Amino acid sequence: MARSIRVLYRGMKGTIRQNFNWDPINLDSTVIITAAEFIPAFGGFGGGPKTLGRPNLGAANVYVTNVGPHGVAGGEAGGVEFLLHVDWDSPLDIVATITVLDDIEEFFQA
């Protein structure tokens, strides 16, 4: 079963290496990450959406590359490393959605 979380990265610009540790992820996980500009909307009384704000589909190119899950039971923490690219002249707030799917079935060398 797929599981997802959202992470808000404040003031991002350029290419930034990120790491997010999350127990459901391990070295054999399949991980998908999406990213977009974000306009936060903090405050309120709760009970509404989990995401506190809204993606802003502006003119900046925002994307993720080099997604690398990590983690071994009893050893390295589970999580994912990736490169976050924010092509804009000034820093932007970015929201990333990290989705972990089932583990891979096999590993082949080609």
Side-chain angles (χ1 to χ4, degrees), residues 37-51:
E37 286 183 59
F38 194 72
I39 299 173
F42 302 119
F45 295 107
K50 292 179 180 91
T51 302

Side-chain angles (χ1 to χ4, degrees), residues 106-110:
E106 291 187 57
F107 178 85
F108 293 96
Q109 182 175 334

Side-chain angles (χ1 to χ4, degrees), residues 72-76:
V72 179
E76 180 185 28

Side-chain angles (χ1 to χ4, degrees), residues 10-88:
R10 307 297 305 263
M12 299 287 107
K13 178 182 172 186
T15 299
I16 311 101
R17 184 181 183 136
Q18 298 290 350
N19 179 68
F20 191 84
N21 289 339
W22 189 29
D23 287 342
I25 300 174
N26 66 71
L27 184 60
D28 287 332
S29 295
T30 302
V31 178
I32 300 167
I33 304 175
T34 61
E37 286 183 59
F38 194 72
I39 299 173
F42 302 119
F45 295 107
K50 292 179 180 91
T51 302
L52 300 176
R54 187 175 192 322
N56 174 38
L57 304 182
N61 288 320
V62 176
Y63 57 99
V64 170
T65 62
N66 298 26
V67 177
H70 59 77
V72 179
E76 180 185 28
V80 63
E81 290 184 88
F82 56 96
L83 295 179
L84 176 61
H85 303 268
V86 182
D87 297 338
W88 200 245

